Amino acid sequence: MSAETPVCQLLERQDADYRGWWWVAPPRDAWLEGGEGRLISADLAVRQAWQARGREAVSPFAEGSSLQGPGAVLFWPKAHALGEWWLLWLCASLPEGTPLQLIGEHQGGIKRVLKVLAALGLGCRKLDSARRCTLFETRTARLPLPPEAVWTQFTAEGIAEGLTLASHPGVFGHGKLDEGTLLLLEQLPARLPAGEVLDMGCGDGILAAWMAREGRDVTAVDVSTFAVEAARRTLRANELAGEVLESDVYSALKGETAQEGKRFDAIISNPPFHLERAIDYGPAARLIQQAPEHLKPGGCLILVANAFLPYAEPLERAFGGFEVLADNGRFRVYAATRR
């Protein structure tokens, strides 16, 4: 089985023994998932893929997990602030002096790792470079800056004015309220029904917090552990109630869970359509296709999307019709009702 992604192709040609090592925030790759080592990922879907193969896979926020091991490989993310958080977290979580390799594509900014490591006082050497990727090596050390320092808060404006939002560089819209979410929020006072609502792909929890403040019974879900933690912090910061679950689209709402059989009066979403730098319609397609079975009769799906995204056809297939609530040229808000 050969590696498919460029970064894993570079790793595959190393003569290092990676047995027992931690793979940190890697992409999906058949060679990696079928080989040696253990996984740390904030992406539930990636962890579930590893666990389905009988591989050890943990969240960075898992309680009681021991990170003892001979080493770790960090797959450098395109968001450098997120990469810095991972460095701080690994240095705080692994024994001091643990070998730590960092790998990434040149177009993703891996070469900037040298400056990041230098700023943290960590030494570094280049191990290999190929396929427009580079592999560096350093060792963990005790750093004066804890990973908690990367978390920030900001105050929302507009219709969400007064809400305090917890922000992490691993969450969409880090440090700001994005234009699409604001357009969606502006439509909700006139269209959001009373009762039980689901915030699908909750991010930092802005939609969940606003709906909870408006008196709705809120459940919020996201595939990202970072987003789940941020939404929980946002609700606590505003003294609001709501349940936040880690979920790959509707996965946490099925099977033997506390949410089994629950139906909602509304599902609200600003769904993602990117996987790293590639466009990925998969999660949004599942969100729309499966929405009717998670709605009460007369319940509605309200979502915002970039205007160029082809959501009209799947909405028509799933609901038999839809309406456009708002369109500012860049973003469009759709509404569809279960009949």
Side-chain angles (χ1 to χ4, degrees), residues 227-300:
V228 169
E229 179 66 17
R232 287 172 177 166
R233 292 184 182 214
T234 290
L235 290 172
R236 287 198 300 268
N238 295 281
E239 299 182 344
L240 294 168
E243 183 173 21
V244 187
L245 304 170
E246 202 172 11
S247 181
D248 183 7
V249 192
Y250 297 104
S251 66
L253 308 179
K254 298 178 179 179
E256 297 178 359
T257 73
Q259 296 291 315
E260 185 175 8
K262 186 171 184 178
R263 297 294 180 267
F264 298 92
D265 296 285
I267 299 171
I268 312 299
S269 185
N270 181 356
F273 65 95
H274 278 113
L275 182 62
E276 290 295 327
R277 287 178 293 275
I279 290 180
D280 179 12
Y281 299 127
R286 285 185 286 149
L287 159 67
I288 294 170
Q289 179 184 2
Q290 299 173 25
E293 65 187 84
H294 293 278
L295 287 166
K296 299 175 184 177
C300 62

Side-chain angles (χ1 to χ4, degrees), residues 70-91:
V73 179
L74 170 60
F75 292 77
W76 193 256
K78 66 176 183 178
H80 292 286
L82 176 57
E84 292 168 7
W85 181 88
W86 275 116
L87 278 174
L88 294 173
W89 184 84
L90 287 166
C91 283

Side-chain angles (χ1 to χ4, degrees), residues 58-317:
V58 299
S59 158
F61 296 108
E63 296 183 3
S65 295
S66 172
L67 294 191
Q68 298 291 330
V73 179
L74 170 60
F75 292 77
W76 193 256
K78 66 176 183 178
H80 292 286
L82 176 57
E84 292 168 7
W85 181 88
W86 275 116
L87 278 174
L88 294 173
W89 184 84
L90 287 166
C91 283
S93 302
L94 289 166
E96 187 173 1
T98 300
L100 174 60
Q101 296 182 6
L102 302 96
I103 191 167
E105 297 184 39
H106 296 167
Q107 64 179 350
I110 183 62
K111 293 183 178 181
R112 285 183 54 187
V113 161
L114 292 171
K115 292 183 178 179
V116 174
L117 292 172
L120 293 173
L122 298 173
C124 178
R125 71 185 183 100
K126 178 179 173 181
L127 290 179
D128 200 0
S129 182
R131 302 186 182 277
R132 298 181 180 177
C133 302
T134 298
L135 177 65
F136 295 105
E137 183 179 55
T138 184
R139 288 183 178 271
T140 60
R142 290 293 166 255
L143 302 177
L145 191 66
E148 184 66 24
V150 177
W151 284 91
T152 60
Q153 288 189 341
F154 69 98
T155 302
E157 299 178 352
I159 191 171
E161 184 176 3
L163 288 173
T164 298
L165 305 180
S167 188
H168 186 280
V171 180
F172 170 74
H174 174 48
K176 63 182 185 298
L177 180 58
D178 75 284
E179 182 183 351
T181 298
L182 181 58
L183 185 66
L184 174 59
L185 277 168
E186 290 171 348
Q187 313 312 309
L188 294 185
R191 295 301 300 259
L192 186 67
E196 298 175 310
V197 296
L198 173 65
D199 178 3
M200 173 63 70
C202 60
D204 59 21
I206 174 60
L207 294 171
W210 184 87
M211 293 188 293
R213 190 172 68 176
E214 294 298 305
R216 305 310 194 269
D217 180 358
V218 173
T219 299
V221 300
D222 204 293
V223 73
S224 166
T225 307
F226 293 130
V228 169
E229 179 66 17
R232 287 172 177 166
R233 292 184 182 214
T234 290
L235 290 172
R236 287 198 300 268
N238 295 281
E239 299 182 344
L240 294 168
E243 183 173 21
V244 187
L245 304 170
E246 202 172 11
S247 181
D248 183 7
V249 192
Y250 297 104
S251 66
L253 308 179
K254 298 178 179 179
E256 297 178 359
T257 73
Q259 296 291 315
E260 185 175 8
K262 186 171 184 178
R263 297 294 180 267
F264 298 92
D265 296 285
I267 299 171
I268 312 299
S269 185
N270 181 356
F273 65 95
H274 278 113
L275 182 62
E276 290 295 327
R277 287 178 293 275
I279 290 180
D280 179 12
Y281 299 127
R286 285 185 286 149
L287 159 67
I288 294 170
Q289 179 184 2
Q290 299 173 25
E293 65 187 84
H294 293 278
L295 287 166
K296 299 175 184 177
C300 62
L301 168 66
I302 305 175
L303 64 85
V304 64
N306 291 69
F308 70 86
L309 292 173
Y311 289 164
E313 185 176 337
L315 283 166
E316 185 73 33
R317 285 199 307 268

